[in-house]
Amino acid sequence: MVDDARIPEPKFWSNWSRWEEADAQNSLGQDLLFLFPKDKLVEEGSDVTICYTSRNPQHNISCYLEGAQIHGKQLDPRVSAFELKNVSFIRRTGTNIFCEDPGVAMKGTVLFVSKILEEPKDFSCETQDFKNLNCTWDPGSDTALPKQPSQSYTLFESFSGKKILCEHRNFCNWQVAQDSQEMYNFTLVAENYLRKRSVNILFNLTHRVHPMIPYNLFFKNISATNATVTWKVHSAGNDSTLLCQLELFGEGKVIQQQNVSVKVNGEYLFNELEPDTKYVAQVRCAYADHFWKWSEPISQKFNTPEAAPSEALDVWRNVRLVSGHPTVNLFWKPLSKSHANGKILFYKVFVENLDNPSGLEDLSIPAPANSTELPLDRGSYQIHVTAHNSVGASPASVIVISGDSENREVEEGRVNGTEDGFSMSWKPQARDTVGYIVEWCDRPQDLPCDPQWKNVGPNTTSTVISSDTFRPGVRYNFRIYGISTDWTAHLLERKTGYVEELAPSDNPRVVTSNLTSHSFTLSWKDYSTESQPGFIQGYYLYLKSKAGEQCLPGFKKTGLLTGDSVCCKHRIDDPEQKTFVVENLQPESIYEFLVTPYTSAGEGPLGAFTKVTTPDEYSHILIRILLPMIFCVLLIMIVCYLKSQWLKEKCYPDIPDPYKSSVLSVIKSKENPHLTIMNVNDCVPDAIEVLNKPEGSKKQFVDARKSLTEAEFTKPTYLYLLPTEKNYPGSGPCICFENFTYNQAASGSGSCGPFPVTPQVPPGQPGPLTSPGNLLKALEKNYMSSLGEIPAGEASLNYVSQLASPMSGDKDNLPTNPPEPALCSEYKMQMAIPLGLASPPPSEKSRLSSPTFLDQGEHHR
């Protein structure tokens, strides 16, 4: 059959050839084993029969396909056949098949499997200049093998009868005839050794025009908001017109698109551009009469210059007192790129004192700062804030700080948050309100915290506050302000809420007080409910007691596993109640308690319980008695410690030191400047006072004393033990001290008098001082005899000290002729003698002229 695209259907087959007969065995040659076919070329998916012939009928031949044994059908003793179904493409070099007779012969062959020749896809033809047609297609899989080359492509046009062999697998160029042919009918034939494929296309040349890419794209007259673009196009011939499309890209997306008809030169003005912005302009063209395809695009970048900021700053403030003076923290949000119109260089803050118009302050704050601190005096201030770039300033934002706007007491409500944020609303205000501001803090746990705010129009009384920083379990506080026409902010409402409430993370620290045998008080007043991860709705009180006890009134038994104790639970619904009295307890019992708060998300952790032991019923009475007593004892001890010096002086004063006596200073200044204090061994006793107070003679003694002179009445009675008048040159001053400390009777009832002693000193020899011991011995006889005459209990003794002139030197170093001692001396030894030995009080004259001498051999020690 003739296979030619130029011959139309139907096509007819010729007659069969005649049969030819062949002798296979004689034509094979002398080899022992033969394998057929030799290097066969087939298409993928074909069925192939392989056979072998052996000259030896007694054989053991095995055949293998790619190393895997295959089994066939024996046709006669020397011939076997193997049928391969749906063979697949393995590699370009073919599939290996071989057969072998071990030790005798081996033969092999290669089966070349070609991929199926595909029909060309997307066959199309177009022109850019009406001179050449460019036809393209998708060839599909390449069928090239060592046994056959790649498929070939032939382009045939039926109207002109021309045919060309294409040099490339996927396109072919066709020269347009000069006879103004418009219609074309192309047939594309793909062919290899195994088959042919063909596709057909019919078109009008003017409908397949694909213009060339534009060129010379430029910008001129670029300003902050406008730019003019120009370009050129290649002529499509015949004075044709092209349709060009312009696209303006900003930040990676198309922001403007426009179509322009062009013959040679194109121009377009882009307006409404953003200052200080990078743009990309792109141009592509198509045939205007019959649109086929856009040309390849051409693009160019350009930047618009800066302009003054076009919008006022969003400004807010936070007023606080520092050292008694208001301090304003001023905040503003950076302008968006579309409003900044360039790089912001600095911000200007202008402060005007409304109470003192002359008080002006102008601050310049470098970018990128977005806040500043203004220490102000008390009063009202108007603050203007502007942003500046290299071109100019933005419109001013005005805010007024009033002294009383922050101190209003407003109610606080709760607001429930969601994943989308907080939805809140408020009451509409008067007509002079020009807007509302909602203020909050994104991270309230960080102090100080820069506030966030949202401006809302005057006709809106609700909004949704959302932020990526909102977290579950964090309490957020919102303030809603109204802005009046004079730009003063007034606090309207407070709201607080959580995006999502969580169960409390910790329990309060509970203090136990007022412990009695039947009750105790629990308090947790220092527990802060505002710092919890949810709204505290109340508290649970768990109470454990020993097994067998019932739950207290108001408590319910819980399912907690507590061993051998009973656990009961009480619910407190008031979150502000932070004290609880546990009553109806048993004395001398052990209880364990736990207080945990709860929110809408659950209760706090079940931590460790605290033990409380109730006392017996009477211990509180003992405590009430013992505590005041202990307090009083402690108070007395403290007072005694603080007044110890005063008590010592009043109760047990120090014994006077004679060396520090003031009397000595008087004697030294008036009598003898050379006086010194005598040692005890140098003391000369001169008088002993003896008192006798019998009831019968008391009246006579008083009468006898009354007969004396007034001077004698006040003087005590002494027993004088001084030298005789002949040995004593004369009288001297005497100071007598009566020591009532050692008085064995009532003071003031005794008297002093001289005691006569018989002198035993030889005449003309001075009598030495007598020791107290010898004196007592001399008086013992008279004393003992006098005791018999005195009723028991009626005698008393007083101890008397005297002052006498000191003796220089020690008693062991007395001179041979010592000087006569004076009548009185400083403090000397005190002695006691019975009252019966005392003589009546002598007259003043006898006291000075009749001294009594002791034995010469008795010396004072």
Side-chain angles (χ1 to χ4, degrees), residues 567-586:
C567 186
C568 302
K569 181 179 181 180
H570 177 72
R571 178 172 176 172
I572 301 174
D573 294 325
D574 184 6
E576 299 301 324
Q577 179 183 344
K578 297 184 180 180
T579 59
F580 187 82
V581 180
V582 183
E583 299 177 316
N584 303 317
L585 304 179
Q586 297 296 325

Side-chain angles (χ1 to χ4, degrees), residues 156-408:
F156 173 73
E157 203 281 309
S158 60
F159 293 123
S160 62
K162 294 181 180 180
K163 180 180 180 180
I164 60 173
L165 181 63
C166 297
E167 298 179 358
H168 306 281
R169 291 183 59 246
N170 58 348
F171 73 93
C172 192
N173 291 323
W174 182 274
Q175 190 75 27
V176 176
Q178 297 296 325
D179 55 1
S180 301
Q181 180 185 349
E182 291 187 357
M183 297 301 297
Y184 288 85
N185 184 12
F186 284 105
T187 300
L188 179 66
V189 179
E191 182 180 5
N192 63 9
Y193 286 173
L194 301 176
R195 73 170 61 226
K196 291 182 180 180
R197 298 280 191 178
S198 64
V199 291
N200 181 265
I201 185 174
L202 175 67
F203 61 90
N204 189 315
L205 181 61
T206 59
H207 296 176
R208 296 298 180 97
V209 179
H210 184 196
M212 289 185 288
I213 183 172
Y215 63 100
N216 289 348
L217 181 63
F218 296 106
F219 294 92
K220 62 181 182 180
N221 301 329
I222 300 176
S223 66
T225 56
N226 299 313
T228 301
V229 60
T230 61
W231 71 97
K232 291 184 178 183
V233 297
H234 296 278
S235 175
N238 299 328
D239 198 24
S240 59
T241 301
L242 299 181
L243 178 67
C244 294
Q245 185 182 70
L246 288 89
E247 291 179 331
L248 184 65
F249 292 83
E251 297 180 354
K253 60 183 179 180
V254 178
I255 58 176
Q256 290 189 31
Q257 188 178 70
Q258 187 67 35
N259 293 333
V260 179
S261 296
V262 178
K263 288 189 175 181
V264 178
N265 298 320
E267 182 176 310
Y268 184 76
L269 173 64
F270 288 114
N271 51 25
E272 298 181 358
L273 303 180
E274 299 291 339
D276 190 36
T277 305
K278 294 181 180 180
Y279 292 99
V280 177
Q282 177 178 281
V283 180
R284 61 181 180 173
C285 299
Y287 193 58
D289 296 337
H290 302 283
F291 180 83
W292 165 243
K293 285 182 179 180
W294 291 108
S295 68
E296 295 298 321
I298 182 174
S299 61
Q300 185 67 37
K301 298 178 181 179
F302 70 99
N303 291 352
T304 54
E306 291 186 358
S310 59
E311 187 170 312
L313 291 167
D314 188 359
V315 179
W316 188 234
R317 85 290 180 277
N318 186 8
V319 182
R320 57 192 177 91
L321 290 178
V322 177
S323 300
H325 295 278
T327 297
V328 176
N329 290 92
L330 197 64
F331 304 91
W332 56 85
K333 295 179 180 179
L335 292 173
S336 64
K337 186 178 183 303
S338 60
H339 295 143
N341 297 337
K343 182 180 180 181
I344 300 299
L345 302 178
F346 60 92
Y347 299 92
K348 274 198 172 183
V349 178
F350 181 76
V351 182
E352 179 182 1
N353 190 336
L354 298 180
D355 300 330
N356 182 16
S358 61
L360 303 177
E361 186 176 0
D362 193 0
L363 303 177
S364 181
I365 302 170
N370 62 348
S371 64
T372 187
E373 184 175 290
L374 302 174
L376 305 175
D377 295 330
R378 294 187 179 275
S380 297
Y381 293 86
Q382 188 176 70
I383 302 175
H384 301 253
V385 185
T386 55
H388 295 253
N389 60 13
S390 62
V391 178
S394 68
S397 296
V398 181
I399 191 168
V400 174
I401 306 298
S402 179
D404 58 351
S405 59
E406 292 291 326
N407 300 324
R408 297 181 57 189

Side-chain angles (χ1 to χ4, degrees), residues 30 75 211 486 499 546 608 653 751 855:
Q30 299 301 320
L75 300 180
D486 60 355
V499 173
K546 61 184 178 182
S751 60
D855 186 13

